[in-house]
Amino acid sequence: MKVDFTQDIAYLSWANEKLGVNFNPKDVTWLTALDLKGDIAGVVVYSRHSTSNCEMSVVATNPRFLTPGTLKIFFGYPFNQLNYRRVMVVAEHTNKHAIQFQRRLGFVPEGYLRAWFPEADGVLMGMLKDECKWL
């Protein structure tokens, strides 16, 4: 697995299509994992940037792209390069698989977001830099 740091708009367009969103490239950054053939394995989009925080959105064709090595890169970017104190993720409250996976990564439930998604509420989860086991 190779992580591509270029801000290739094709990768963001792919993530937008898969997530059903429309991230504006002027407002976000993204890192892309490529498999050995050079095909997209997954994209991590960093949005809602503030002085100490951002939101991470992940989309993948193969969840195995989240190896210890890629997780070190994906979490190293907001915590070490941007020097953020925390990162957050939001999952649909009905997506128990995503919520369990986020907990295994080290995220902690922080709140419930009513009507966050078009058809569902959201569960807000956060991780502080000193809690991140991937650095």
Side-chain angles (χ1 to χ4, degrees), residues 11 14 39-40 51 58 61-62 76 80 94 96 105 117 121:
Y11 299 150
W14 180 88
D39 295 329
I40 299 172
T51 56
V58 179
T61 58
N62 182 346
N80 294 331
T94 57
K96 303 301 182 200
L105 287 176
F117 296 98
D121 296 340

Side-chain angles (χ1 to χ4, degrees), residues 48-130:
R48 302 181 198 277
H49 294 269
S50 72
T51 56
S52 62
N53 178 72
C54 71
E55 181 178 339
M56 295 172 69
S57 300
V58 179
V59 61
T61 58
N62 182 346
R64 291 183 223 178
F65 90 98
L66 292 174
T67 66
T70 61
L71 287 166
K72 184 175 181 178
I73 293 168
F74 294 140
F75 284 105
Y77 175 71
F79 287 133
N80 294 331
Q81 286 188 272
L82 300 178
N83 202 32
Y84 287 159
R85 294 179 57 209
R86 54 173 279 122
V87 294
M88 62 183 183
V89 294
V90 180
E92 288 188 12
H93 79 284
T94 57
N95 191 342
K96 303 301 182 200
H97 176 73
I99 293 167
Q100 289 172 350
F101 182 72
Q102 291 163 351
R103 286 186 135 189
R104 284 195 306 273
L105 287 176
F107 286 94
V108 176
E110 294 183 335
Y112 196 79
L113 304 168
R114 295 178 304 146
W116 185 258
F117 296 98
E119 301 294 324
D121 296 340
V123 175
L124 172 67
M125 301 182 81
M127 180 189 299
L128 302 178
K129 182 177 183 177
D130 64 0

